[in-house]
Amino acid sequence: MKAFVLDGYGNSDKVRAGVMPDPEAREDDVLVQVHAAGVNLLDAKIRDGEFKLILPYRLPVILGNDVAGVVVRVGSQVRRFKPGDEVYARPGKDRIGAFAEFISMKEDDLALKPARLTMEEAASIPLVGLTAWQALIETAKLKEGQKVFIQAGSGGVGTFAVQLAKHVGATVATTTSTANIDLVKSLGADVVIDYRKDDFEKILHDYDVVLHSLDDETLKKSLRVLKPGGKLISISGPPDPDFAKEVGSPWILGPVMRVLSYRTRRAARRRHVSYSFLFMRASGDQLREITSLIDSGIIRPVVDRVFPFESTKEAMAYLETGRAKGKVVVRVR
């Protein structure tokens, strides 16, 4: 099958279009013919080797962490899916490979595709949807009437998280550029800060939750907009000791992550708030919850551009410019 393969860590030169063996379906696996694949910054970070200590892939590996397609075969123990089903998923972290014609995944990681979405729209959802769900619903336990600051509201995670938080009944603040103010307002943002003109730290106060996705300086400022008892959940680091336990990292990485996050955790304690790092995990059950919100019209996908499969590397480069509104998707079939 055709695929985009990472041969070695470093940069885009290490990614090539090639031919790889078709994946096999184990007894609890579902083999999917890929119709579309979402592109994420995680793909670039894996390519660059940023996660090689905690995600030690055996190279060459096929990239791609978001998939929508059609089931072509199921393992003997699979009960929820059958050939012909239209599905979508974020493959488990050890089973990535959406930039290919076929992918095999565990049954528990998949859900039926939202009926009202195209394959391209569906492929834009799993990683950002699960990230937002696990940050806001599972970790923060966001409630009606609370205030949440979601950074980069026009980005992939941001466009989904703003809608999810608004559905919960929270007051939502976000940052974006001048060009995207109308977009994030249309998604439900109550307080929109143009980061090129204003400093969010001078505007936001006494927030219950911050979903952090930017740099270290923004993280420091974000701690200061939380009220005592507030929660900062970061998807961009630094990783903390709890994360090392979650991913089953070698024991030596626990102390390393403790050091990496020490200053942030200390600053959080001084302000009587909590800090946690989130590396989202695959979950078909949570995707089914997300599907119901999409099919009810509560959440809509935001797709910036769809690239042809042969332009997967260009799609990754476009996403890395930081100019995309919502998600970038590759049409595979």
Side-chain angles (χ1 to χ4, degrees):
M1 67 173 180
K2 296 176 183 176
F4 277 83
V5 183
L6 177 69
D7 285 321
Y9 296 117
N11 53 43
S12 60
D13 293 338
K14 303 291 187 181
V15 180
R16 63 176 169 87
V19 176
M20 296 287 279
D22 287 358
E24 306 216 338
R26 305 170 199 165
E27 56 188 14
D28 58 347
D29 283 351
V30 176
L31 181 66
V32 174
Q33 184 172 41
V34 180
H35 282 231
V39 184
N40 298 282
L41 287 175
L42 177 59
D43 300 306
K45 290 182 177 182
I46 291 172
R47 177 200 68 201
D48 294 345
E50 290 187 30
F51 289 112
K52 62 184 177 183
L53 285 177
I54 52 178
L55 297 174
Y57 294 113
R58 182 179 298 172
L59 303 179
V61 65
I62 301 170
L63 293 173
N65 287 272
D66 265 330
V67 63
V70 175
V71 175
V72 292
R73 192 182 315 137
V74 299
S76 60
Q77 294 185 4
V78 171
R79 297 291 177 265
R80 283 199 294 267
F81 303 98
K82 65 185 184 304
D85 284 345
E86 296 187 342
V87 295
Y88 71 150
R90 187 279 199 243
K93 65 182 187 301
D94 56 342
R95 301 287 295 276
I96 68 171
F99 298 159
E101 292 180 302
F102 296 93
I103 185 172
S104 182
M105 296 170 285
K106 286 189 175 297
E107 176 185 24
D108 290 346
D109 296 344
L110 288 118
L112 293 175
K113 178 183 79 65
R116 64 191 295 158
L117 298 190
T118 65
M119 285 291 185
E120 291 79 14
E121 290 171 331
S124 77
I125 294 291
L127 188 140
V128 298
L130 290 169
T131 298
W133 185 278
Q134 289 167 23
L136 299 179
I137 306 301
E138 191 174 70
T139 305
K141 296 179 172 54
L142 190 66
K143 298 181 180 66
E144 183 178 359
Q146 289 189 315
K147 297 196 296 183
V148 58
F149 172 38
I150 296 165
Q151 296 166 8
S154 60
V157 173
T159 51
F160 194 101
V162 167
Q163 295 178 83
L164 181 60
K166 199 63 191 170
H167 168 64
V168 170
T171 296
V172 182
T174 192
T175 48
T176 193
S177 63
T178 308
N180 295 326
I181 287 174
D182 288 343
L183 169 64
V184 296
K185 283 184 176 178
S186 75
L187 298 174
D190 300 289
V191 181
V192 181
I193 299 164
D194 185 336
Y195 69 83
R196 290 176 177 159
K197 296 179 179 177
D198 297 305
D199 183 349
F200 71 81
E201 187 187 0
K202 296 177 180 176
I203 298 171
L204 307 180
H205 305 282
D206 297 320
Y207 270 64
D208 299 280
V209 178
V210 172
L211 177 52
H212 169 72
S213 58
L214 300 172
D215 56 21
D216 287 346
E217 190 57 37
T218 305
L219 189 151
K220 292 174 189 172
K221 292 164 65 172
S222 296
L223 287 170
R224 298 194 283 266
V225 309
L226 286 165
K227 68 181 185 182
K231 299 174 181 177
L232 190 150
I233 300 158
S234 175
I235 59 173
S236 60
D240 58 11
D242 287 341
F243 168 65
K245 294 176 191 170
E246 283 174 28
V247 297
S249 294
W251 68 269
I252 192 65
L253 289 184
V256 171
M257 293 183 191
R258 189 176 298 279
V259 170
L260 287 174
S261 61
Y262 173 73
R263 287 184 179 178
T264 299
R265 291 183 291 111
R266 182 180 64 180
R269 282 196 302 271
R270 286 177 173 173
R271 300 194 69 83
H272 305 289
V273 301
S274 67
Y275 170 79
S276 58
F277 174 73
L278 174 71
F279 189 88
M280 61 77 54
R281 68 186 188 282
S283 173
D285 288 341
Q286 290 177 351
L287 268 184
R288 279 183 277 281
E289 301 262 16
I290 289 168
T291 297
S292 67
L293 294 178
I294 292 170
D295 279 339
S296 301
I298 292 166
I299 289 179
R300 62 179 172 91
V302 179
V303 177
D304 182 292
R305 284 182 66 181
V306 178
F307 286 77
F309 185 41
E310 59 269 21
S311 300
T312 296
K313 288 178 68 171
E314 288 83 353
M316 292 177 66
Y318 175 67
L319 181 64
E320 288 180 273
T321 66
R323 294 196 296 268
K325 300 177 185 179
K327 287 295 293 288
V328 175
V329 175
V330 169
R331 181 183 291 117
V332 178
R333 179 176 168 82

PDB file of all heavy atoms in Angstrom, residues 17 51 63 66 71 95 110 175 186 189 191 195-196 223 234 251-252 266:
ATOM      1  N   ALA A  17       7.263   9.444   0.565  1.00  0.00           N
ATOM      2  CA  ALA A  17       6.169   8.638   0.033  1.00  0.00           C
ATOM      3  C   ALA A  17       6.752   7.294  -0.391  1.00  0.00           C
ATOM      4  O   ALA A  17       7.772   7.250  -1.077  1.00  0.00           O
ATOM      5  CB  ALA A  17       5.534   9.342  -1.152  1.00  0.00           C
ATOM      6  N   PHE A  51       9.216  13.301  20.852  1.00  0.00           N
ATOM      7  CA  PHE A  51       8.600  12.329  21.759  1.00  0.00           C
ATOM      8  C   PHE A  51       9.306  10.978  21.733  1.00  0.00           C
ATOM      9  O   PHE A  51       8.756   9.991  22.213  1.00  0.00           O
ATOM     10  CB  PHE A  51       7.120  12.145  21.405  1.00  0.00           C
ATOM     11  CG  PHE A  51       6.251  13.315  21.737  1.00  0.00           C
ATOM     12  CD1 PHE A  51       5.679  14.073  20.728  1.00  0.00           C
ATOM     13  CD2 PHE A  51       6.010  13.663  23.048  1.00  0.00           C
ATOM     14  CE1 PHE A  51       4.877  15.164  21.029  1.00  0.00           C
ATOM     15  CE2 PHE A  51       5.214  14.749  23.364  1.00  0.00           C
ATOM     16  CZ  PHE A  51       4.641  15.502  22.355  1.00  0.00           C
ATOM     17  N   LEU A  63       3.333   7.846   9.560  1.00  0.00           N
ATOM     18  CA  LEU A  63       2.785   8.926  10.371  1.00  0.00           C
ATOM     19  C   LEU A  63       1.265   9.012  10.199  1.00  0.00           C
ATOM     20  O   LEU A  63       0.682   8.381   9.326  1.00  0.00           O
ATOM     21  CB  LEU A  63       3.437  10.253   9.983  1.00  0.00           C
ATOM     22  CG  LEU A  63       4.921  10.400  10.305  1.00  0.00           C
ATOM     23  CD1 LEU A  63       5.464  11.699   9.710  1.00  0.00           C
ATOM     24  CD2 LEU A  63       5.160  10.359  11.817  1.00  0.00           C
ATOM     25  N   ASP A  66      -5.044  10.781  12.887  1.00  0.00           N
ATOM     26  CA  ASP A  66      -6.494  10.992  12.748  1.00  0.00           C
ATOM     27  C   ASP A  66      -6.955  10.261  11.500  1.00  0.00           C
ATOM     28  O   ASP A  66      -6.351  10.427  10.437  1.00  0.00           O
ATOM     29  CB  ASP A  66      -6.795  12.481  12.512  1.00  0.00           C
ATOM     30  CG  ASP A  66      -7.134  13.262  13.763  1.00  0.00           C
ATOM     31  OD1 ASP A  66      -7.683  12.678  14.712  1.00  0.00           O
ATOM     32  OD2 ASP A  66      -6.862  14.468  13.772  1.00  0.00           O
ATOM     33  N   VAL A  71     -14.615   0.232   7.080  1.00  0.00           N
ATOM     34  CA  VAL A  71     -14.135  -1.063   7.570  1.00  0.00           C
ATOM     35  C   VAL A  71     -14.107  -2.068   6.416  1.00  0.00           C
ATOM     36  O   VAL A  71     -15.096  -2.224   5.688  1.00  0.00           O
ATOM     37  CB  VAL A  71     -15.043  -1.596   8.698  1.00  0.00           C
ATOM     38  CG1 VAL A  71     -14.613  -3.000   9.128  1.00  0.00           C
ATOM     39  CG2 VAL A  71     -15.027  -0.643   9.886  1.00  0.00           C
ATOM     40  N   ARG A  95      -0.119   2.632  17.589  1.00  0.00           N
ATOM     41  CA  ARG A  95      -0.686   2.082  16.347  1.00  0.00           C
ATOM     42  C   ARG A  95      -0.953   3.185  15.321  1.00  0.00           C
ATOM     43  O   ARG A  95      -1.859   3.072  14.507  1.00  0.00           O
ATOM     44  CB  ARG A  95      -2.002   1.348  16.652  1.00  0.00           C
ATOM     45  CG  ARG A  95      -1.898   0.198  17.648  1.00  0.00           C
ATOM     46  CD  ARG A  95      -1.221  -1.022  17.093  1.00  0.00           C
ATOM     47  NE  ARG A  95      -1.948  -1.653  16.015  1.00  0.00           N
ATOM     48  CZ  ARG A  95      -2.947  -2.530  16.194  1.00  0.00           C
ATOM     49  NH1 ARG A  95      -3.345  -2.857  17.409  1.00  0.00           N
ATOM     50  NH2 ARG A  95      -3.536  -3.086  15.161  1.00  0.00           N
ATOM     51  N   LEU A 110     -12.217   2.885  17.995  1.00  0.00           N
ATOM     52  CA  LEU A 110     -13.041   3.381  16.891  1.00  0.00           C
ATOM     53  C   LEU A 110     -14.447   3.733  17.319  1.00  0.00           C
ATOM     54  O   LEU A 110     -14.964   3.244  18.328  1.00  0.00           O
ATOM     55  CB  LEU A 110     -13.139   2.319  15.794  1.00  0.00           C
ATOM     56  CG  LEU A 110     -11.912   2.065  14.949  1.00  0.00           C
ATOM     57  CD1 LEU A 110     -11.441   0.646  15.137  1.00  0.00           C
ATOM     58  CD2 LEU A 110     -12.230   2.308  13.484  1.00  0.00           C
ATOM     59  N   THR A 175      -7.929  33.609  22.796  1.00  0.00           N
ATOM     60  CA  THR A 175      -7.056  34.516  22.054  1.00  0.00           C
ATOM     61  C   THR A 175      -7.044  34.100  20.588  1.00  0.00           C
ATOM     62  O   THR A 175      -7.155  32.919  20.260  1.00  0.00           O
ATOM     63  CB  THR A 175      -5.618  34.466  22.597  1.00  0.00           C
ATOM     64  OG1 THR A 175      -5.213  33.082  22.729  1.00  0.00           O
ATOM     65  CG2 THR A 175      -5.508  35.144  23.944  1.00  0.00           C
ATOM     66  N   SER A 186     -18.281  33.139  16.354  1.00  0.00           N
ATOM     67  CA  SER A 186     -19.346  32.289  15.796  1.00  0.00           C
ATOM     68  C   SER A 186     -19.367  30.919  16.456  1.00  0.00           C
ATOM     69  O   SER A 186     -20.394  30.237  16.446  1.00  0.00           O
ATOM     70  CB  SER A 186     -19.157  32.139  14.282  1.00  0.00           C
ATOM     71  OG  SER A 186     -18.090  31.256  13.965  1.00  0.00           O
ATOM     72  N   ALA A 189     -17.347  31.901  21.592  1.00  0.00           N
ATOM     73  CA  ALA A 189     -16.468  32.586  22.544  1.00  0.00           C
ATOM     74  C   ALA A 189     -17.126  33.865  23.045  1.00  0.00           C
ATOM     75  O   ALA A 189     -17.670  34.650  22.266  1.00  0.00           O
ATOM     76  CB  ALA A 189     -15.126  32.898  21.891  1.00  0.00           C
ATOM     77  N   VAL A 191     -15.436  36.126  25.366  1.00  0.00           N
ATOM     78  CA  VAL A 191     -14.387  37.144  25.481  1.00  0.00           C
ATOM     79  C   VAL A 191     -13.301  36.784  24.470  1.00  0.00           C
ATOM     80  O   VAL A 191     -12.687  35.725  24.569  1.00  0.00           O
ATOM     81  CB  VAL A 191     -13.786  37.185  26.906  1.00  0.00           C
ATOM     82  CG1 VAL A 191     -12.716  38.261  27.003  1.00  0.00           C
ATOM     83  CG2 VAL A 191     -14.881  37.401  27.943  1.00  0.00           C
ATOM     84  N   TYR A 195      -4.454  38.822  20.281  1.00  0.00           N
ATOM     85  CA  TYR A 195      -3.158  38.718  20.954  1.00  0.00           C
ATOM     86  C   TYR A 195      -2.117  39.679  20.385  1.00  0.00           C
ATOM     87  O   TYR A 195      -1.109  39.955  21.036  1.00  0.00           O
ATOM     88  CB  TYR A 195      -2.642  37.274  20.904  1.00  0.00           C
ATOM     89  CG  TYR A 195      -2.235  36.764  19.538  1.00  0.00           C
ATOM     90  CD1 TYR A 195      -0.977  37.028  19.019  1.00  0.00           C
ATOM     91  CD2 TYR A 195      -3.122  36.006  18.779  1.00  0.00           C
ATOM     92  CE1 TYR A 195      -0.612  36.557  17.764  1.00  0.00           C
ATOM     93  CE2 TYR A 195      -2.762  35.534  17.533  1.00  0.00           C
ATOM     94  CZ  TYR A 195      -1.498  35.813  17.025  1.00  0.00           C
ATOM     95  OH  TYR A 195      -1.141  35.355  15.789  1.00  0.00           O
ATOM     96  N   ARG A 196      -2.372  40.206  19.182  1.00  0.00           N
ATOM     97  CA  ARG A 196      -1.421  41.151  18.610  1.00  0.00           C
ATOM     98  C   ARG A 196      -1.602  42.560  19.175  1.00  0.00           C
ATOM     99  O   ARG A 196      -0.711  43.400  19.040  1.00  0.00           O
ATOM    100  CB  ARG A 196      -1.573  41.186  17.087  1.00  0.00           C
ATOM    101  CG  ARG A 196      -1.088  39.898  16.417  1.00  0.00           C
ATOM    102  CD  ARG A 196      -1.319  39.907  14.929  1.00  0.00           C
ATOM    103  NE  ARG A 196      -0.785  38.692  14.318  1.00  0.00           N
ATOM    104  CZ  ARG A 196      -1.177  38.223  13.145  1.00  0.00           C
ATOM    105  NH1 ARG A 196      -2.116  38.860  12.466  1.00  0.00           N
ATOM    106  NH2 ARG A 196      -0.643  37.121  12.645  1.00  0.00           N
ATOM    107  N   LEU A 223      -1.048  31.083  34.554  1.00  0.00           N
ATOM    108  CA  LEU A 223      -1.209  30.757  35.975  1.00  0.00           C
ATOM    109  C   LEU A 223      -1.765  31.939  36.753  1.00  0.00           C
ATOM    110  O   LEU A 223      -2.504  31.770  37.722  1.00  0.00           O
ATOM    111  CB  LEU A 223       0.136  30.330  36.576  1.00  0.00           C
ATOM    112  CG  LEU A 223       0.667  28.948  36.163  1.00  0.00           C
ATOM    113  CD1 LEU A 223       2.099  28.774  36.643  1.00  0.00           C
ATOM    114  CD2 LEU A 223      -0.210  27.826  36.718  1.00  0.00           C
ATOM    115  N   SER A 234      -2.269  21.648  30.462  1.00  0.00           N
ATOM    116  CA  SER A 234      -1.418  21.967  29.316  1.00  0.00           C
ATOM    117  C   SER A 234      -1.329  20.792  28.359  1.00  0.00           C
ATOM    118  O   SER A 234      -1.143  19.651  28.779  1.00  0.00           O
ATOM    119  CB  SER A 234      -0.012  22.341  29.786  1.00  0.00           C
ATOM    120  OG  SER A 234       0.837  22.533  28.671  1.00  0.00           O
ATOM    121  N   TRP A 251      11.348   3.799  34.129  1.00  0.00           N
ATOM    122  CA  TRP A 251      11.372   4.443  35.447  1.00  0.00           C
ATOM    123  C   TRP A 251      12.259   5.676  35.467  1.00  0.00           C
ATOM    124  O   TRP A 251      11.974   6.656  36.187  1.00  0.00           O
ATOM    125  CB  TRP A 251      11.853   3.453  36.506  1.00  0.00           C
ATOM    126  CG  TRP A 251      13.303   3.061  36.353  1.00  0.00           C
ATOM    127  CD1 TRP A 251      13.803   2.017  35.643  1.00  0.00           C
ATOM    128  CD2 TRP A 251      14.430   3.736  36.916  1.00  0.00           C
ATOM    129  NE1 TRP A 251      15.170   1.993  35.713  1.00  0.00           N
ATOM    130  CE2 TRP A 251      15.590   3.031  36.489  1.00  0.00           C
ATOM    131  CE3 TRP A 251      14.582   4.854  37.730  1.00  0.00           C
ATOM    132  CZ2 TRP A 251      16.871   3.422  36.855  1.00  0.00           C
ATOM    133  CZ3 TRP A 251      15.867   5.252  38.098  1.00  0.00           C
ATOM    134  CH2 TRP A 251      16.996   4.537  37.661  1.00  0.00           C
ATOM    135  N   ILE A 252      13.296   5.717  34.655  1.00  0.00           N
ATOM    136  CA  ILE A 252      14.226   6.841  34.681  1.00  0.00           C
ATOM    137  C   ILE A 252      13.580   8.144  34.226  1.00  0.00           C
ATOM    138  O   ILE A 252      14.011   9.236  34.578  1.00  0.00           O
ATOM    139  CB  ILE A 252      15.474   6.524  33.812  1.00  0.00           C
ATOM    140  CG1 ILE A 252      16.579   7.558  34.051  1.00  0.00           C
ATOM    141  CG2 ILE A 252      15.095   6.480  32.338  1.00  0.00           C
ATOM    142  CD1 ILE A 252      17.152   7.544  35.434  1.00  0.00           C
ATOM    143  N   ARG A 266       5.812  24.318  41.010  1.00  0.00           N
ATOM    144  CA  ARG A 266       6.062  25.184  42.170  1.00  0.00           C
ATOM    145  C   ARG A 266       5.302  26.507  42.037  1.00  0.00           C
ATOM    146  O   ARG A 266       4.683  26.985  43.003  1.00  0.00           O
ATOM    147  CB  ARG A 266       7.560  25.456  42.294  1.00  0.00           C
ATOM    148  CG  ARG A 266       7.924  26.318  43.519  1.00  0.00           C
ATOM    149  CD  ARG A 266       9.415  26.565  43.603  1.00  0.00           C
ATOM    150  NE  ARG A 266       9.890  27.345  42.447  1.00  0.00           N
ATOM    151  CZ  ARG A 266      11.148  27.715  42.263  1.00  0.00           C
ATOM    152  NH1 ARG A 266      12.079  27.355  43.141  1.00  0.00           N
ATOM    153  NH2 ARG A 266      11.497  28.416  41.199  1.00  0.00           N
TER     154      ARG A 266
END
